[in-house]
Amino acid sequence: QLQLQESGPGLVKPSETLSLTCTVSGGSISSSSYYWGWIRQPPGKGLEWIGSIYYSGSTYYNPSLKSRVTISVDTSKNQFSLKLSSVTAADTAVYYCARIITMVRGQGWFDPWGQGTLVTVSS
Amino acid sequence: DIQMTQSPSSLSASVGDRVTITCRASQSISSYLNWYQQKPGKAPKLLIYAASSLQSGVPSRFSGSGSGTDFTLTISSLQPEDFATYYCQQSYSTSLTFGQGTRLEIK
């Protein structure tokens, strides 16, 4: 079955750029029926959608993060990636990647999810 | 952004109880509403999509209803494994948003 796995540094310094990659296995990232998304969860808090990407490169971003976020896709590696610039302690969170089952424009539900990776912003 | 508000924020219940969690949207979202269950240290798991469609493999004691701005998730008879945090999420807008979560605890 489809599996997603996040990877990247667990510690990032303030003002630097957080970079994570999600590797998709058991299915193709180039499927026309899906978008691929990033979601984060600060410790002890709720879920926040960061952004989504289609295999063609079309993206949607959370307006509150848009100025700092870039999501890209590499279909040859079956991966998509997140970059979040100018991080602060408020960006400390578990970051999840997930497939979005969507009818149109990335509007859909998340399933399945990766296991998540904790990224701490600290000097 | 469409704001999603869940109530209650926390809930204590016993095994066998019938439990209802409510999610309200700040504007009409038709039936573009999804529900997730999250256990400590784990990723969220999809339970219900499109307001009332049960995800494959999810027990039938879970059900969803509603349209417009008001939605409910009902667990008909709580099982020990159901104690978790539940989130709603709207997919009406291209800017996806979640409710703040409802923590379901053992009484």
Side-chain angles (χ1 to χ4, degrees):
Chain A
Q1 75 277 21
L2 191 82
Q3 292 186 315
L4 296 91
Q5 179 68 58
E6 305 89 351
S7 60
L11 181 64
V12 181
K13 290 182 168 54
S15 79
E16 296 189 344
T17 296
L18 178 160
S19 296
L20 295 174
T21 295
C22 182
T23 300
V24 178
S25 58
S28 174
I29 203 169
S30 300
S31 172
S32 60
S33 302
Y34 309 121
Y35 269 68
W36 304 89
W38 288 98
I39 306 99
R40 70 180 183 178
Q41 184 172 38
K45 297 188 178 180
L47 301 165
E48 179 180 37
W49 169 72
I50 299 170
S52 307
I53 192 164
Y54 194 53
Y55 76 93
S56 65
S58 174
T59 54
Y60 293 95
Y61 295 137
N62 186 321
S64 69
L65 298 169
K66 187 173 183 177
S67 64
R68 298 194 291 131
V69 172
T70 302
I71 298 176
S72 59
V73 63
D74 186 336
T75 55
S76 67
K77 295 182 179 179
N78 231 30
Q79 295 176 335
F80 62 106
S81 297
L82 167 70
K83 291 189 184 299
L84 180 65
S85 64
S86 305
V87 297
T88 69
D91 295 309
T92 293
V94 175
Y95 286 75
Y96 295 100
C97 59
R99 181 179 66 176
I100 304 171
I101 300 171
T102 176
M103 298 301 176
V104 64
R105 296 181 300 177
Q107 294 156 248
W109 49 92
F110 299 97
D111 182 68
W113 297 57
Q115 66 183 27
T117 188
L118 174 63
V119 179
T120 301
V121 178
S122 175
S123 55
Chain B
D1 276 5
I2 299 174
Q3 307 303 316
M4 308 301 295
T5 304
Q6 291 181 229
S7 60
S9 294
S10 63
L11 173 61
S12 294
S14 301
V15 173
D17 283 355
R18 179 183 180 90
V19 167
T20 297
I21 297 169
T22 297
C23 179
R24 176 164 288 174
S26 60
Q27 67 179 73
S28 177
I29 58 170
S30 184
S31 296
Y32 293 93
L33 192 282
N34 314 300
W35 290 98
Y36 302 86
Q37 176 193 66
Q38 186 179 33
K39 296 182 179 180
K42 300 294 187 182
K45 170 188 170 184
L46 178 69
L47 298 176
I48 302 283
Y49 62 93
S52 60
S53 295
L54 190 67
Q55 172 68 352
S56 176
V58 174
S60 59
R61 63 181 179 273
F62 290 92
S63 64
S65 64
S67 66
T69 60
D70 295 322
F71 302 85
T72 58
L73 173 70
T74 299
I75 310 172
S76 61
S77 178
L78 271 175
Q79 299 302 301
E81 61 268 29
D82 299 337
F83 292 94
T85 300
Y86 294 84
Y87 293 93
C88 62
Q89 173 244 327
Q90 63 80 18
S91 49
Y92 180 84
S93 166
T94 55
S95 182
L96 307 174
T97 50
F98 291 89
Q100 83 279 14
T102 294
R103 184 175 179 180
L104 179 53
E105 300 174 319
I106 301 173
K107 184 182 286 184

